[in-house]
Amino acid sequence: MRRVLTVTAVAGAAWVARRALRHRIARSPLWPLPALETPVSGHSPRRPLRALITSRTEPAEGVLRLTLRAAGLPAWTPGAHVDVTLPSGLVRQYSLCGDPAEEGAYTIAIRLVEDGRGGSREAHRRLVEGAELELRPPRNRFELVPAPSYVFVAGGIGITPLLPMLRAATAAGAVWILLYGGRSRASMPFLPELAVHGDRVRVLPQDEVGLPDLAPLAAAPPGTLVYCCGPEPLMRAVTAAAPDPAAVRLERFAPAVPGPAQPFAVELHRSGRTVEVAADESALTAVRRVLPNTPYSCGQGFCGTCRHRVLAGEVDHHDELLTDQEREDSMLLCVSRAASGRLVLDL
């Protein structure tokens, strides 16, 4: 009898160990190799950065420019942005508009939007010289691709990601022009910095000339790339005016507005529940009805806080963050939807 009990205990322990090992390998296929705090590809996106606000200026009405400094800030390229955690915990995304060659310093600019979601109001009120900010390392989905010529189009604060691009295009010897629109000259930041480029910069305040004249797009030589950042109506107009829509690169303040949405169902695999997502609500809203602690922050598909793994179903992606590879098995609940009638999430 004692032998039977011993054999049973040993077999049970072996079964538990095998089961635990399978789960451990599923979570980390490289196990037992240790996880790297900083991967070989660069700074860990999970480890926040901390930087000190060393300068605060106002380059235009309602625009705040901040210089952030810290030792060891990761390098970046024109078009990159950083996620900034505000004192309240809100996460907002701002384009880097300084000089990539300046080590240990980031520059961002923030337009005050009085009727917005509160992030810009908090930034203008609470981000002062001497304050410390938490950042995530720069990301870039608006890379400047080498080309013989460019047309840059900016609307208002949309000038920020284009500023380092102008420097890079000039250094590369490329031919370029900038069409820069805004409500008025007083509201358009960085005009003195742009003046050094002479007639390559066309300043087009709406209260002086109306809507920007986009005729230079049609006159651009073959091979010209178009980079545009600004309000959605401007980006639609630029895309329509460009002879080759495939040559247009866009950077949005908000996610692209999809067509008419359809309701769909989300199965929460680990929770064993299914929720219905109405046509006029996000998957995040529906999921939080049954899992109220599901994290989120920006609500616009930029920060990645609400990213979750998709186990089954086809996703209609509307975010501005995930790479094509990441989209194969993940989605951002705040903006993306089901391409068909059902999704299964690892929740």
Side-chain angles (χ1 to χ4, degrees):
M1 183 65 179
R2 182 177 299 173
R3 177 183 176 82
V4 172
L5 292 176
T6 300
V7 171
T8 302
V10 171
W15 178 84
V16 170
R18 284 197 301 271
R19 187 168 182 270
L21 182 60
R22 284 197 301 270
H23 282 285
R24 184 65 184 85
I25 293 174
R27 290 196 304 271
S28 177
L30 294 180
W31 187 87
L33 295 177
L36 297 176
E37 284 297 320
T38 302
V40 294
S41 59
H43 199 287
S44 170
R46 297 184 299 275
R47 179 185 296 174
L49 309 170
R50 292 198 172 275
L52 197 68
I53 300 175
T54 60
S55 173
R56 171 183 166 129
T57 59
E58 296 185 8
E61 291 179 355
V63 177
L64 173 66
R65 174 169 53 189
L66 300 175
T67 300
L68 316 173
R69 295 186 182 276
L73 289 178
W76 59 282
T77 54
H81 72 271
V82 290
D83 297 345
V84 176
T85 302
L86 300 174
S88 67
L90 289 175
V91 178
R92 293 294 182 264
Q93 294 69 42
Y94 301 111
S95 296
L96 292 169
C97 56
D99 185 353
E102 185 178 4
E103 296 182 1
Y106 292 164
T107 299
I108 59 175
I110 305 170
R111 166 81 69 188
L112 176 62
V113 183
E114 290 287 3
D115 59 351
R117 296 175 298 130
S120 69
R121 293 194 300 274
E122 180 181 354
H124 276 248
R125 186 176 69 252
R126 301 186 62 181
L127 300 187
V128 297
E129 286 189 25
E132 189 178 58
L133 278 182
E134 182 179 295
L135 317 170
R136 294 177 188 166
R139 297 195 302 269
N140 199 339
R141 291 184 61 86
F142 195 44
E143 286 275 5
L144 183 66
V145 177
S149 58
Y150 302 92
V151 177
F152 298 103
V153 186
I157 198 65
I159 188 63
T160 51
L162 302 184
L163 286 176
M165 292 188 179
L166 303 183
R167 301 187 192 101
T170 301
V175 175
W176 62 266
I177 62 169
L178 167 67
L179 309 178
Y180 182 18
R183 295 190 307 275
S184 65
R185 288 180 185 270
S187 70
M188 298 168 66
F190 306 112
L191 291 180
E193 290 89 336
L194 293 169
V196 302
H197 297 296
D199 59 7
R200 286 189 288 186
V201 174
R202 304 181 189 182
V203 179
L204 306 168
Q206 189 171 351
D207 61 352
E208 297 178 21
V209 301
L211 297 177
D213 180 6
L214 300 178
L217 291 172
T224 297
L225 294 184
V226 179
Y227 281 79
C228 176
C229 182
E232 191 68 30
L234 174 64
M235 290 192 287
R236 287 198 298 267
V238 167
T239 302
D244 180 10
V248 178
R249 310 289 195 270
L250 304 175
E251 175 84 321
R252 289 182 160 86
F253 299 149
V257 179
Q262 298 296 322
F264 61 98
V266 173
E267 178 184 336
L268 308 177
H269 180 70
R270 281 186 283 129
S271 304
R273 307 176 73 171
T274 298
V275 296
E276 299 296 328
V277 183
D280 61 350
E281 69 176 348
S282 68
L284 176 65
T285 299
V287 168
R288 282 177 60 86
R289 281 200 297 270
V290 296
L291 298 177
N293 293 326
T294 301
Y296 74 100
S297 182
C298 77
Q300 292 196 316
F302 292 108
C303 72
T305 304
C306 65
R307 175 182 171 182
H308 286 285
R309 193 155 67 99
V310 179
L311 302 179
E314 183 180 354
V315 180
D316 181 16
H317 294 281
H318 293 283
D319 66 272
E320 298 290 331
L321 174 68
L322 300 182
T323 64
D324 291 340
Q325 182 177 359
E326 290 169 336
R327 287 180 173 184
E328 292 178 0
D329 64 356
S330 298
M331 69 178 287
L332 301 191
L333 301 185
C334 63
V335 293
S336 297
R337 305 181 66 82
S340 54
R342 189 178 186 87
L343 291 174
V344 180
L345 301 180
D346 187 23
L347 273 170

